Amino acid sequence: MCSRGEEKEKAAKLTVDAIEKIEGELKGKQFFGGESIGYLDIALGWMSYWLPVCEEVGSMKIVDPLQFPALTSWIKNFLEHPVIKENLPPRERMIIYFLNRTKELASTPHG
């Protein structure tokens, strides 16, 4: 998200590689544990909300629904679960946060 050029491409590739593993775990399941939300869903749930915001702010696409249908379905199922849906922060605030964070990181020399 904050990287540029070759560094950004490398980070995106590493992310896609990790998502491929997650996709394999989700095939044929609504949630990681089956039909209901479990510990792993909660542990990885941040990804369902933050990743699309990161994609928007970083002007990149990582989760292609055709390449990752199980993950796309899980994201939809997770975000539509009443307990999750009622406790998510407003998307607009997330975008503002990530835009500000991107500016901060871009102004800091990478070591």
Side-chain angles (χ1 to χ4, degrees):
M1 181 172 73
C2 300
S3 305
R4 292 189 179 95
E6 193 175 305
E7 188 178 318
K8 183 175 184 175
E9 290 175 25
K10 183 179 176 184
K13 169 129 178 45
L14 289 172
T15 303
V16 169
D17 289 347
I19 289 173
E20 285 174 348
K21 291 173 178 59
I22 293 169
E23 174 74 12
E25 292 298 318
L26 283 167
K27 283 199 188 228
K29 299 184 226 173
Q30 186 174 4
F31 297 103
F32 283 98
E35 297 301 314
S36 59
I37 289 180
Y39 178 76
L40 191 52
D41 298 290
I42 299 298
L44 293 176
W46 64 269
M47 183 174 59
S48 65
Y49 197 63
W50 284 39
L51 193 55
V53 172
C54 289
E55 289 177 329
E56 182 177 334
V57 171
S59 300
M60 61 185 159
K61 188 69 177 162
I62 295 175
V63 179
D64 177 356
L66 296 175
Q67 186 178 3
F68 303 113
L71 179 61
T72 302
S73 178
W74 172 78
I75 288 171
K76 181 178 172 282
N77 293 333
F78 186 80
L79 292 177
E80 288 181 358
H81 191 281
V83 171
I84 303 303
K85 191 174 188 173
E86 293 168 10
N87 290 290
L88 291 172
R91 181 176 171 83
E92 299 79 32
R93 286 182 52 203
M94 298 292 294
I95 290 182
I96 291 168
Y97 170 80
F98 278 109
L99 284 171
N100 289 335
R101 189 72 178 130
T102 299
K103 287 176 190 173
E104 288 173 19
L105 291 173
S107 67
T108 306
H110 292 85

